[in-house]
Amino acid sequence: MALVASLLPAVPSATQAQTHARAGTTYYVDSRAGDDAAAGTSADTAWKTLAPVNAADLKPGDTVAFKRGSGFTGPLTLEASGTAAQPIVIKPYGTGPLARISGKDDDCVIVKGDHWRVSGLRASGCRWAGFRLDGDQNELSGVHADRNIAGVHVAYSGSRNTVRDSVLADNNRMSVNDAGGDDDSGAFGVLLNGDDNVVSGNTITGSFAKSKDYGADGAAVEVYNGDRNLITHNVARNNETFTELGAKKGKTASGNVFAFNVVTSTRSRGSFLITRGPRHIVGPVNGTVAVHNSVYLPARDTIGWSCHDGCAPSILKLRNNVIVVGGEAGWEDGKGADEAGSVYKSRRARFALGPKSVMADPRFFAPNDLRVRPGSPALGRGVALTHSWYGGKAFAKDASGRPLAGAPDAGAFQH
């Protein structure tokens, strides 16, 4: 937060700041009643297609409003830049479903500039990504992405972006799917190639596709070459994997944090977290932290977490999680992960329990309600942590929004 504050330009007074904010122009887009030859500056003179939006000379403080119920062929390419004080805004107007952008020729919504605030759009059936963030300090909120290879792709150039309070559903297509080579990939809810991004408060479901190499593949949040990303307070259901991390040799995927996520699945296979040591082709992945997550994957072909090909405390740290799986609670080799304060239930496990961790039934309320019942061994089980473990004071709340206080419980919910 201090970094963002340092980027804010000085303004003489609050009144002048409000005046500048009001100076922006609002443009309207309506695929049914619009006209690209119109001015676009009112609902009655709305544009019809994305072409005039892509060509518009948008300035800081401007807004583009998309009529609900509209449908467009992408891409929507957002190349201008706002400022921290005056971002450029995309928002919906009217009633009905979100405006939908689709098209197999390109990614649907491409944010190349900085300081955009994009909400109220659906990106569906796109060439690769529903939303692609190439720029910095942009925000997606209240968007919907489905039937893409990646619902949201934060590119290598994208940093300090936020993806929040959105629905990323059934992004179930593969990018590479050929027999042999151990190289199939795709079906990502969010793919993070960039650094210092926040993925928070989203519902991510159905990131799952058939794979010739692996049988099935997909991840709610995939991290490849991305450093210091924070993935927190998300609800993930019926994905192949919640998160898988890797880096190209010579690159890193260091310091990523997964906190207060709630992960469930009824699929016959699945996993919570997969990471690698230095002997793996996409390792080592250093400094991954998983803290206060709740996981329920009851099928037999499941695993809570895997830290392999040279696991070590510097590779993976786990604190205060509750993980129930029908298969293997965790797997480590080498020096093993740094683990503590957690509750596990499984058929088998291949790791050493850390301080205060226990194998026991956490007594979830229900398969889709991972709060724990009175008398649960998760209550008071956690070890005390500083805010830096889960992303800072701004994220010091449990999965239901309750502030953290007192001796911590294991899991995403505090009591």
Side-chain angles (χ1 to χ4, degrees):
M1 301 301 291
L3 177 59
V4 173
S6 70
L7 298 173
L8 296 175
V11 294
S13 69
T15 301
Q16 288 182 341
Q18 291 169 359
T19 300
H20 286 119
R22 288 195 299 268
T25 300
T26 298
Y27 299 92
Y28 296 82
V29 194
D30 181 347
S31 70
R32 295 176 178 174
D35 182 350
D36 285 351
T41 52
S42 71
D44 293 334
T45 62
W47 292 326
K48 185 176 182 64
T49 73
L50 301 182
V53 183
N54 292 338
D57 184 18
L58 298 174
K59 304 294 186 184
D62 285 350
T63 296
V64 182
F66 284 85
K67 181 70 176 291
R68 287 178 174 269
S70 290
F72 305 95
T73 299
L76 172 63
T77 305
L78 307 176
E79 298 194 66
S81 288
T83 66
Q86 291 185 271
I88 304 175
V89 174
I90 300 287
K91 68 177 187 179
Y93 76 100
T95 60
L98 298 181
R100 180 176 182 267
I101 300 175
S102 59
K104 297 290 188 181
D105 292 335
D106 209 331
D107 299 338
C108 282
V109 179
I110 306 169
V111 186
K112 294 187 175 182
D114 305 332
H115 294 292
W116 284 82
R117 301 291 178 265
V118 179
S119 65
L121 288 179
R122 178 184 174 191
S124 177
C126 311
R127 179 193 64 85
W128 209 91
F131 296 86
R132 192 180 86 211
L133 301 178
D134 294 346
D136 300 338
Q137 300 192 59
N138 299 296
E139 180 180 274
L140 299 180
S141 66
V143 301
H144 187 123
D146 62 288
R147 299 192 303 110
N148 308 293
I149 292 170
V152 176
H153 177 203
V154 181
Y156 293 101
S157 60
S159 65
R160 293 175 290 172
N161 298 290
T162 298
V163 181
R164 66 174 180 87
D165 304 326
S166 296
V167 175
L168 312 173
D170 298 323
N171 292 287
N172 52 12
R173 293 165 38 217
M174 296 292 284
S175 174
V176 177
N177 191 12
D178 50 22
D182 192 24
D183 60 351
D184 287 359
S185 67
F188 311 120
V190 180
L191 173 61
L192 295 172
N193 294 142
D195 303 334
D196 301 297
N197 301 285
V198 175
V199 178
S200 182
N202 304 286
T203 299
I204 309 173
T205 64
S207 303
F208 178 94
K210 291 182 178 180
S211 162
K212 293 181 179 178
D213 284 347
Y214 315 125
D217 201 11
V221 181
E222 181 102 350
V223 181
Y224 189 74
N225 290 5
D227 296 333
R228 299 176 304 278
N229 295 290
L230 175 61
I231 298 92
T232 180
H233 294 88
N234 300 286
V235 173
R237 296 192 298 267
N238 293 336
N239 303 286
E240 167 73 359
T241 299
F242 177 69
T243 190
E244 187 170 3
L245 301 101
K248 184 179 180 180
K249 290 299 181 185
K251 302 291 185 180
T252 59
S254 300
N256 294 287
V257 175
F258 301 85
F260 298 102
N261 299 290
V262 178
V263 180
T264 63
S265 180
T266 60
R267 296 191 183 279
S268 61
R269 58 178 287 172
S271 56
F272 167 55
L273 185 151
I274 307 296
T275 192
R276 284 86 176 208
R279 296 198 302 271
H280 197 275
I281 191 171
V282 295
V285 179
N286 291 312
T288 298
V289 172
V291 56
H292 279 296
N293 301 284
S294 290
V295 179
Y296 181 66
L297 309 173
R300 286 181 176 271
D301 190 11
T302 54
I303 186 167
W305 54 267
S306 175
C307 178
H308 55 87
D309 288 289
C311 187
S314 62
I315 299 292
L316 178 62
K317 298 182 185 299
L318 303 117
R319 293 288 188 277
N320 303 355
N321 301 292
V322 176
I323 297 177
V324 175
V325 298
E328 195 154 41
W331 196 99
E332 65 185 13
D333 63 7
K335 297 179 180 179
D338 179 356
E339 191 278 334
S342 299
V343 178
Y344 297 92
K345 182 183 178 184
S346 65
R347 287 184 172 83
R348 58 192 181 276
R350 184 173 165 175
F351 70 98
L353 287 172
K356 293 192 72 174
S357 289
V358 64
M359 290 287 181
D361 184 351
R363 301 183 64 189
F364 290 141
F365 266 97
N368 59 353
D369 182 354
L370 302 193
R371 295 174 300 159
V372 297
R373 297 179 182 275
S376 167
L379 298 175
R381 176 68 52 181
V383 297
L385 301 172
T386 62
H387 294 149
S388 61
W389 277 84
Y390 42 79
K393 291 183 179 180
F395 299 96
K397 58 184 180 181
D398 78 352
S400 63
R402 180 183 290 113
L404 301 187
D409 300 331
F413 297 96
Q414 301 295 293
H415 300 82

